[in-house]
Amino acid sequence: MTYTVGHYLGERLAQIGLKDHFAVAGDYNLVLLDQLLEIDGLRQVYCCNELNCGFSAEGYARANGAGAAVVTFSVGALSALNAIGGAYAENLPVILISGAPNSNDHGSGHILHHTIGTPDYSYQLEIAKRLTCAAVSITSAEDAPVLIDHAIRTALREKKPAYIEIACNVAPMPCPRPGPVGAILADAPSDPETLKLAVDELASFIAARKKPIMLVGSRLRAAGCEDAAIRLADALGCAVTTMAAAKSFFPEDHPAYAGTYWGDVSSPGAQQIFDWADGVLCLAPVFNDYSTVGWTAWPKGDNVALMDARHIAAGGKAFDGVHLRDVIEGLIDRLKGQPKKDATLVEYHRIKTPEAPVAAAEPNAPLVRAEMARQIQGLLTSDTSVIAETGDSWFNAIQMKLPHGARVELEMQWGHIGWSVPATFGYAVAAPERRIIAMIGDGSFQLTAQEVAQMVRLKLPVIIFLVNNRGYTIEVQIHDGPYNNIKNWDYAGLMSVFNAEDGHGKGFRATTGAEMEKAIAAAVANREGPTLIECVIDRDDCTSDLISWGRRVATANARPPAAR
Ligand code: DPX
Ligand code: MG
């Protein structure tokens, strides 16, 4: 058998740990898909459309570390690029692979189908360059290995998406086999001198403070430092808060865990202890309008040390070219034998008011949000992953108490409604051993609903809580108008459409606590496919956090233009 460019790409994907890749067929990628099918241990998984294909790969990357989506030129790739923007925002190495025009057509003056109708096909590559950390176009087999390796290596290092387009006639061309995977995994080490200086600075930052606190940020996973953060917390002894988008990046059963710090919508006691601290170690944070609650809670100034994946800023100094994990290890080493700086943890336990468990609602009373959240909370186990969509599902998920090992996935930087359906599909493909729960609003679901059919196809026992509150409730709280009302669907009924003649998905509508409980029992028992539970609640029945946060974000959005 001739070894080809397509094989090279497929083998590299398998080498970096991909067992699956997501695809939508089109004539520019068919031959490439044939080549990829020939790679041992690499399954081809199909999606209903390219936006979903990109988000499926993004969800897969959340569970597996990296993902790949294969699409056709322009009509496919331009849709997938939205999800690639999301992967960039969310720090996930997703490789977008697009079939491309025949190499002989590039520069020929030919006008081709699926293009904008001009003979210049470079526009897709140009767009991809803005949304990825590496974008390459392969029009000859000779150049393929170096270009493929460059794109994949850069994505893995930067934890950002990359783009590879392959001319449709080049995919089956002969190509050498790839070498050891180490060639694309190897990373430049921290600069030892800078590392020492950065650790010195952070050690004196801590030494000069009596009440330090840690803040775990949403880039911590991408920095590969979740375990290191736990050891740093143990070494310091202080309280640890997490940012909303970093939910589950620090174990909530850890004795130092002090809840979600999110300005006015922090979990009980977290804002008070954060404000009481005299120094904050921010681990890989992202401070945007959402995470700072409309710029009202933005930790900055002399008492803040920023510890990013490759960059440290503390005490008015900046250090580049160091890996966060090396910095943390160095710091832990310095803290050895020193008394614990546990003031914030001690104080947190003093001020925290014990939360009363939510009482079960009257079983036959109309379903309310609090009862819905209570029942979902009851489903969480140490092998559960909750994928929570933009909307009040964010706030419901952030308020959950996570048992050790439970994970929450949020897309708070990109915030594309509809993300969670394909992302849940991709996540479930990557982690079939976990209990996977999706929480999705009705408005969001309408964007990407068809991907539930792929969960049916692959018999994935995902549980979807579809919140039917008849509209865009988060938008209602920020700024209401007729555009926030949506056409109602028979969401539970959709499952029979997706099942068709051979599926085993189940759909239920819950209008009371008792109905929801019954539906959950059936969902847990259904191992042959997804179960969608449509939870019917009132249009204004949302978390109080959403109302407070929404008001602050709306105020930030409404700032008038500055005078010139
Ligand atoms: C929009 C949002 O029903 O959830 O809990 O009812 O709000 P809630 P739904 O899924 O509604 C979501 C809706 C319309 N955001 O409230 S958050 C604007 C928006 C976006 N992404 C895309 N288009 C519009 N975030 C792709
Ligand atoms: Mg809604």
Side-chain angles (χ1 to χ4, degrees):
M1 186 180 87
T2 314
Y3 198 85
T4 68
V5 169
H7 293 149
Y8 187 100
L9 173 63
E11 197 161 334
R12 277 304 198 204
L13 295 179
Q15 280 183 334
I16 64 164
L18 269 58
K19 295 190 172 59
D20 311 271
H21 59 291
F22 297 87
V24 180
D27 60 358
Y28 289 112
N29 72 15
L30 298 176
V31 176
L32 174 63
L33 292 177
D34 288 339
Q35 310 293 308
L36 295 175
L37 280 171
E38 287 170 359
I39 301 300
D40 277 345
L42 189 67
R43 178 171 58 155
Q44 209 159 77
V45 176
Y46 306 109
C47 294
C48 298
N49 64 48
E50 288 83 356
L51 174 66
N52 292 352
C53 187
F55 281 138
S56 297
E58 194 261 28
Y60 189 91
R62 287 170 182 266
N64 184 63
V70 188
V71 298
T72 196
F73 198 67
S74 273
V75 289
L78 292 191
S79 294
L81 280 165
N82 187 325
I84 293 302
Y88 198 103
E90 301 289 322
N91 306 294
L92 293 159
V94 173
I95 318 293
L96 176 64
I97 299 152
S98 174
N102 182 297
S103 61
N104 300 301
D105 287 326
H106 291 257
S108 66
H110 292 166
I111 291 182
L112 294 173
H113 71 284
H114 289 351
T115 71
I116 56 171
T118 63
D120 178 356
Y121 323 125
S122 63
Y123 59 94
Q124 183 168 307
L125 179 68
E126 293 305 315
I127 297 169
K129 281 182 187 164
R130 297 296 302 270
L131 299 173
T132 61
C133 65
V136 299
S137 173
I138 297 173
T139 51
S140 84
E142 291 72 35
D143 297 338
V146 67
L147 292 175
I148 290 171
D149 283 5
H150 168 69
I152 298 178
R153 180 194 300 119
T154 312
L156 295 180
R157 275 190 194 171
E158 304 292 324
K159 299 289 188 282
K160 296 285 185 192
Y163 169 79
I164 301 173
E165 68 179 33
I166 305 185
C168 56
N169 59 333
V170 169
M173 287 297 120
C175 175
R177 286 172 188 273
V181 67
I184 51 173
L185 296 182
D187 200 353
S190 297
D191 172 53
E193 245 174 283
T194 313
L195 179 61
K196 187 182 168 304
L197 292 173
V199 172
D200 285 347
E201 192 58 47
L202 288 168
S204 40
F205 177 91
I206 294 166
R209 281 162 181 86
K210 293 194 177 67
K211 308 181 287 181
I213 194 165
M214 273 169 63
L215 179 68
V216 166
S218 55
R219 281 200 287 243
L220 190 73
R221 172 166 63 184
C225 287
E226 286 173 283
D227 287 343
I230 297 171
R231 277 181 288 110
L232 179 59
D234 292 338
L236 261 170
C238 68
V240 179
T241 50
T242 50
M243 294 179 72
K247 176 83 176 171
S248 83
F249 288 5
F250 190 86
E252 297 195 354
D253 64 334
H254 190 284
Y257 183 65
T260 305
Y261 172 69
W262 201 6
D264 282 352
V265 292
S266 298
S267 57
Q271 182 180 26
Q272 289 79 356
I273 203 59
F274 192 91
D275 291 345
W276 187 75
D278 64 0
V280 191
L281 291 178
C282 299
L283 269 61
V286 176
F287 296 124
N288 62 17
D289 51 346
Y290 278 11
S291 70
T292 64
V293 196
W295 311 117
T296 62
W298 186 357
K300 51 184 175 179
D302 292 346
N303 285 334
V304 173
L306 286 175
M307 300 168 67
D308 246 314
R310 302 282 169 89
H311 184 88
I312 306 295
K317 297 184 194 141
F319 308 91
D320 223 276
V322 288
H323 289 279
L324 181 56
R325 57 178 171 275
D326 296 336
V327 174
I328 294 178
E329 293 310 337
L331 203 49
I332 291 171
D333 222 48
R334 289 299 167 83
L335 292 167
K336 267 191 196 127
Q338 293 195 17
K340 297 271 187 262
K341 293 250 170 167
D342 60 0
T344 48
L345 187 55
V346 171
E347 187 66 8
Y348 171 69
H349 284 295
R350 286 191 194 119
I351 61 174
K352 175 179 105 164
T353 39
E355 281 177 80
V358 183
E362 159 62 36
N364 295 316
L367 187 61
V368 293
R369 184 210 62 81
E371 172 63 11
M372 175 186 77
R374 186 192 71 81
Q375 292 201 23
I376 299 172
Q377 171 75 59
L379 264 177
L380 305 191
T381 58
S382 61
D383 62 359
T384 297
S385 294
V386 177
I387 289 99
E389 181 67 83
T390 302
D392 203 27
S393 295
W394 273 351
F395 295 86
N396 281 312
I398 288 165
Q399 287 176 6
M400 302 260 153
K401 308 272 177 292
L402 302 182
H404 190 83
R407 306 289 314 199
V408 170
E409 298 294 340
L410 303 159
E411 195 220 27
M412 287 194 107
Q413 177 62 39
W414 195 239
H416 185 303
I417 58 170
W419 155 84
S420 70
V421 183
T424 298
F425 171 56
Y427 196 103
V429 167
E433 71 290 351
R434 291 183 72 82
R435 166 175 286 179
I436 294 164
I437 293 175
M439 294 164 67
I440 310 176
D442 47 359
S444 300
F445 187 74
Q446 293 195 357
L447 273 85
T448 52
Q450 64 277 68
E451 227 50 35
V452 172
Q454 305 296 353
M455 301 177 191
V456 172
R457 188 182 198 179
L458 296 198
K459 298 190 161 70
L460 299 171
V462 169
I463 306 178
I464 301 169
F465 291 98
L466 183 300
V467 186
N468 185 347
N469 55 9
R470 299 280 178 133
Y472 297 151
T473 290
I474 195 172
E475 304 285 328
V476 171
Q477 307 312 322
I478 293 177
H479 185 120
D480 201 8
Y483 34 75
N484 291 329
N485 302 328
I486 60 175
K487 167 76 181 81
N488 191 39
W489 288 9
D490 174 7
Y491 299 98
L494 267 182
M495 210 43 116
S496 73
V497 175
F498 294 142
N499 281 338
E501 66 283 353
D502 57 355
H504 301 283
K506 288 190 180 348
F508 300 99
R509 179 172 301 117
T511 59
T512 65
E515 285 172 5
M516 183 163 171
E517 213 170 296
K518 220 170 126 202
I520 288 177
V524 172
N526 179 15
R527 305 302 302 162
E528 286 297 300
T531 303
L532 185 151
I533 303 174
E534 177 184 342
C535 304
V536 180
I537 62 173
D538 189 82
R539 189 172 188 262
D540 284 319
D541 186 4
C542 62
T543 58
S544 63
D545 286 350
L546 166 61
I547 295 173
S548 311
W549 176 89
R551 187 162 308 132
R552 296 227 184 257
V553 170
T555 307
N557 276 348
R559 283 165 302 161
R564 294 216 278 172

